[in-house]
């Protein structure tokens, strides 16, 4: 468990290299591409190169990410390293908050929202009021001889091997290009082969990325050079931003190895002529150690990566890469049935999806989500950010950082049930650092509170203060929400040592709210104050167009309030889970009792005059009724405060609210709707949300969109939605096929995990379960539901149990 982010980012990665040092065995390799795919159903493929970044195909090892365009005239491989962000260690926390809080609360309870908003803006916001950006690192450009006579073109991403392959013929020569990012060797590898000798000639350049937003020609952000006799190098630094001085330096090196032919390096050009095969190895690193320390030597890191891989054959690098990927990826297989539609290239299937039945695309999408998880969040890394780890833009949408009012949380929805629990480790490590450091500083300085707090965003430097202005920054339960996911990791895995490690994180979050919850003056309930329902403006007196002092722009109102529904739902879950953790560990009895007593005083769910669930304490409407955030339904999913077994009026109110949010929305919003409809046991509407997602807001490479930009949350959230349609586990029960749409009439799944420590394999035919096998990991009693049938049986650890369609043990 990588709970302690080790002192040196690099040292977290190096042990993997040591693992394979013994393979060093001469550099000549002969593996061409073109090896037949074992399972064509796990391949995204296209008949043409990517026109732009949104069509390129992603590879990643959690740290180094690349987008492969697959062009035949000039290939572009766009590169990222996870710790290359603008700025340097900084602390946006500010004094003055605790003195202002009583007045802010008084104003809110008096209905003087705008005044409360402005006072919060002047006294509690962090400075700078925005955060740092994830930046692109470099581009590898390969320029081939101009030839218009290209035939038999194919570009693919094999999810099972984690390799992008491009193949095409020029005249009668078949060229193949393979690209992958190896977690074992910590390098991106490009292999070019041809089926006729001496056929490979090209020019390679390695470019830094000029930050057009923040630099001018006089600013030296990077330096490109040749590294004779066979390499290229780029050294650069990140951007200053918002007055935070850039303190990150990076080094990127490319090494080339040709079989046959020649390599020549002149200036920044590396020219390969008449080779039989070429291997290009890309290594990169920064000086980032942790959020407070940037003292590492990127040059030494890169040299160590290259030294480790020196002498290792391409075949061996590739073999190790595939083995490491498959160790995780192959734990789960999914078959939802297949139609003729599945024979077409992926982009055409996406276009046809609204009119043609293509259940296999949902299975492919699910596995794409697992692939992206493995490629962007491995133990020792930072968590997957807004774009995973793939970003070409020096001024990316929402800084490609960590938004914590839905987006970062959604990134991890797929991991536990998708049998990728170790991919959550980066999130756990980040939470530990936040709870022990900047989160605690902000709790103390901004609220005079114990414990720690994280608002609606953070970045590489773990900024925790409210940002973006009071409309957004009043969301103080971002960290508490993430705590519920840390707890979930325990519920799935059952590791008590892990629970001990996260206990202080949960306790610190609880302590913050014990310090800051206040009694509502007229209702008597305990509420968060200030509070907000993320990004949604209530329709109430005073809201309209007004000038916002903090952002200097016009807004449709202020969102500040007390005790938003989502806050109360999250805190009910957090308090409950904290109490369970304390009980399991046999600690803090008094605190546990206090927390449970405060839990019972939190504002309850309320039903409004239209029969909908109220989003706020008051029965306000919304300025944007179809708002993309589904915050008020947190208790239905990801929480389990509302279930089909809850009071009928509450379930109906939740359904009404979900219907009122409409069928549109961006990628992550659709993904959330899929999960919500699945929890309401409505497989057809869940599939409807997926259909909208695929046909309206999915790029050809299966990533989804929010506004104009790619965001990786939709991929993970919709993947989780597919799993939720097949299996749900909460309340001590595993429910099989709870929201199966008609179109997925027949299928088979192996490897999905359920809460309580179970791994499942099951099949269905004609929409009916045929059999299920449960592997018990922890030896807990197992309760399985299929429709109205329920079976409970004791289990022993590592034993497997098979049940028939009537849930009879076999
Ligand atoms: C939240 C959303 C936006 C976007 C941003 C990154 O603020 O409301 O749609 O996804 O995060």
């Amino acid at each position: 468990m990588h709970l302690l982010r080790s002192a040196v980012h690099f040292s977290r990665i190096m042990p993997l290299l040591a693992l394979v040092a013994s393979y060093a065995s001469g550099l000549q390799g002969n593996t061409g591409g073109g090896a037949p795919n074992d399972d064509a159903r796990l391949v995204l493929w296209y008949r043409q190169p990517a026109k732009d970044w949104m069509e390129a195909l992603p590879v990643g090892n959690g740290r180094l990410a690349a987008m492969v365009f697959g062009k035949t005239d000039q290939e572009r491989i766009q590169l990222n390293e996870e710790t290359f962000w603008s700025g340097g260690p900084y602390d946006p926390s500010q004094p003055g908050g605790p003195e202002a809080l009583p007045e802010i609360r008084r104003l809110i309870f008096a209905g003087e929202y705008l005044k409360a908003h402005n006072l919060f803006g002047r006294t509690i916001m962090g400075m700078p009021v925005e955060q740092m950006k994830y930046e692109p690192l470099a581009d590898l450009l390969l320029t081939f001889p101009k030839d218009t006579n290209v035939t038999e073109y194919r570009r693919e991403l094999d999810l099972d091997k984690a390799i992008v392959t491009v193949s095409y013929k020029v005249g009668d020569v078949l060229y193949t290009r393979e690209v992958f990012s190896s977690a074992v060797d910590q390098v991106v590898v490009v292999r070019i082969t041809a089926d006729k000798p001496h056929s490979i000639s090209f020019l390679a350049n390695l470019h830094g990325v000029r930050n057009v937003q923040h630099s001018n020609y006089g600013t030296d952000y990077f330096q490109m050079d040749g590294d004779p006799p066979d390499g290229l190098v780029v050294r650069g630094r990140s951007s200053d931003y918002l007055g935070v001085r850039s303190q990150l330096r990076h080094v990127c090196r490319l090494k080339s190895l040709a079989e046959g032919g020649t390599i020549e390096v002149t200036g920044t050009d590396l020219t390969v002529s008449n080779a039989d095969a070429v291997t290009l190895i890309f290594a990169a690193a920064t000086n980032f150690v942790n959020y407070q320390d940037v003292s590492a030597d990127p040059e030494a890191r890169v040299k160590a990566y290259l030294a480790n891989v020196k002498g290792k054959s391409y075949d061996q690098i590739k073999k190790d890469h595939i083995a490491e990927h498959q160790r995780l990826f192959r734990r789960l297989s999914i078959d939802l049935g297949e139609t003729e539609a599945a024979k077409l290239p992926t982009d055409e299937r996406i276009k046809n999806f609204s009119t043609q039945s293509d259940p296999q695309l949902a299975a492919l999408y699910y596995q794409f989500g697992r692939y992206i998880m493995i490629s962007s969040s491995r133990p020792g890394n930072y968590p997957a950010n807004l774009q995973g780890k793939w970003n070409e833009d020096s001024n990316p949408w929402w800084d490609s950082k960590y938004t914590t009012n839905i987006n970062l949380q959604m990134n991890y929805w797929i991991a536990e049930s998708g049998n990728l629990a170790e991919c959550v480790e980066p999130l756990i490590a980040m939470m530990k650092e936040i709870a022990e450091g900047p989160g605690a500083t902000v709790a103390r300085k901004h609220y005079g509170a114990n414990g720690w707090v994280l608002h609606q965003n953070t970045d590489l430097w773990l900024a925790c203060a409210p940002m973006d202005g009071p409309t957004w920054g009043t969301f103080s339960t971002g960290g508490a929400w993430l705590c519920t996911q840390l707890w979930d990791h325990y519920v799935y895995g059952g590791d008590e040592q892990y629970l001990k490690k996260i206990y202080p994180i949960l306790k610190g979050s609880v302590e913050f709210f014990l310090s800051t919850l206040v009694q509502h003056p007229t209702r008597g309930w305990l509420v968060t104050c200030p509070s907000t329902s993320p990004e949604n403006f209530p329709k109430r007196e005073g809201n309209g167009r007004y000038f916002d002092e903090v952002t200097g722009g016009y807004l449709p109102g202020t969102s500040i309030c007390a005790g938003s529904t989502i806050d109360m739902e999250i805190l009910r879950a957090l308090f409950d889970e904290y109490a369970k953790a304390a009980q399991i560990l046999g600690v803090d009895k008094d605190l546990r009792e206090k927390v449970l007593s405060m839990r019972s005083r939190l504002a309850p769910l309320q039903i409004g005059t239209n029969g909908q669930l109220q989003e706020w304490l008051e029965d306000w409407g919304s300025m944007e009724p179809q708002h993309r955030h589904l915050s008020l339904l947190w208790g239905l999913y990801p929480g389990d405060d509302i279930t089909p077994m809850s009071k009928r009026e509450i379930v109906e109110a939740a359904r009404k609210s979900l219907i009122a949010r409409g069928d549109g929305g961006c990628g992550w919003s659709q993904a959330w709707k899929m999960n919500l409809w699945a929890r309401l046991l409505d497989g057809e509407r869940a599939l409807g949300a997926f259909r909208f997602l695929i046909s309206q807001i999915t790029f050809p490479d299966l990533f989804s969109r929010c506004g104009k930009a790619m965001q990786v949350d939709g991929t993970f959230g919709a993947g989780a939605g597919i799993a939720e349609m097949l299996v749900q586990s909460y309340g001590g029960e595993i429910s099989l096929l709870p929201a199966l749409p008609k179109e997925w009439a027949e299928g088979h799944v192996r490897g999905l995990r359920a809460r309580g420590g179970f791994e499942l394999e099951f099949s269905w035919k004609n929409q009916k379960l045929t059999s299920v096998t449960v592997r018990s990991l922890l030896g807990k009693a197992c309760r399985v539901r299929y429709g109205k049938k329920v079976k409970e049986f004791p289990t022993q650890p590592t034993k497997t149990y098979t049940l028939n369609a009537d849930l009879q043990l076999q």
Side-chain angles (χ1 to χ4, degrees), residues 386 397-398 403-407 456-457 468 472 534-535 627-629 666 668 706-707 711 713:
L386 216 43
W397 279 88
W398 296 288
T403 301
T404 47
N405 62 18
I406 173 61
N407 318 84
Q456 97 288 14
N457 271 288
D468 279 351
W472 296 271
E535 312 195 14
H627 196 270
R628 62 198 174 284
H629 283 257
C666 63
W668 59 261
C706 182
Q711 257 179 234
D713 40 21

Side-chain angles (χ1 to χ4, degrees), residues 118 159 183 275 281 324 370 383 452 630 756:
N118 286 332
L159 302 178
I281 308 243
E324 170 54 21
R370 292 184 67 248
W452 63 275
L630 286 306

Side-chain angles (χ1 to χ4, degrees), residues 604-617 619 647-654 656-657:
L605 292 172
Q606 296 183 83
I607 298 175
T609 43
N610 295 329
Q612 88 290 11
L613 210 59
Q614 276 183 210
E615 183 152 2
W616 297 276
L617 276 187
D619 192 7
K647 274 206 241 136
R648 208 175 56 84
E649 309 87 85
I650 291 284
V651 182
E652 283 318 305
K656 258 201 165 148
S657 296

